[in-house]
Amino acid sequence: MIKSELIAKLAKHYPQLVAKDAEMAVNAILEAMFTSLVQGRRIEIRYFGSFGINYRPPRLGRNPKTGERVLVAEKFVPHFKPGRELRKRVDS
């Protein structure tokens, strides 16, 4: 599902919402999630899962084309861990 499909589904499920309002709601939720992750905070949505940030230290990598060694800088990457209820529903 892509963002536009989610907005359309929300607008269809809640007829009192205009598509523009559903889009604003989805954008507000996503922006709040982005802001929390940028600040290093964890996001937990009960029965769905949690989002966090993992640190990856600097390392030596290889350029696949030339085989040359390259220093890969440190970085922070988002990480999602599904909740128990989500895992059960997907598994069944």
Side-chain angles (χ1 to χ4, degrees):
M1 176 181 286
I2 59 175
K3 185 175 162 185
S4 59
E5 291 172 343
L6 175 62
I7 292 168
K9 201 167 199 167
L10 269 175
K12 184 180 176 186
H13 192 266
Y14 297 100
Q16 69 271 18
L17 279 181
V18 181
K20 203 71 167 161
D21 292 338
E23 182 180 5
M24 285 176 44
V26 169
N27 287 338
I29 291 169
L30 291 176
E31 188 59 40
M33 292 174 75
F34 292 154
T35 303
S36 291
L37 289 173
V38 166
Q39 293 172 353
R41 295 175 27 214
R42 187 172 173 267
I43 301 166
E44 183 178 329
I45 302 171
R46 298 287 168 147
Y47 308 110
F48 181 73
S50 61
F51 297 87
I53 296 291
N54 284 350
Y55 172 74
R56 296 218 177 131
R59 63 183 174 85
L60 275 179
R62 288 193 180 276
N63 180 334
K65 196 171 191 177
T66 63
E68 178 184 343
R69 288 181 159 224
V70 178
L71 179 64
V72 178
E74 67 178 4
K75 57 184 155 185
F76 292 90
V77 293
H79 174 74
F80 174 72
K81 182 178 178 188
R84 186 181 311 146
E85 182 70 23
L86 177 62
R87 281 181 282 158
K88 274 197 236 176
R89 285 188 181 197
V90 169
D91 191 34
S92 59

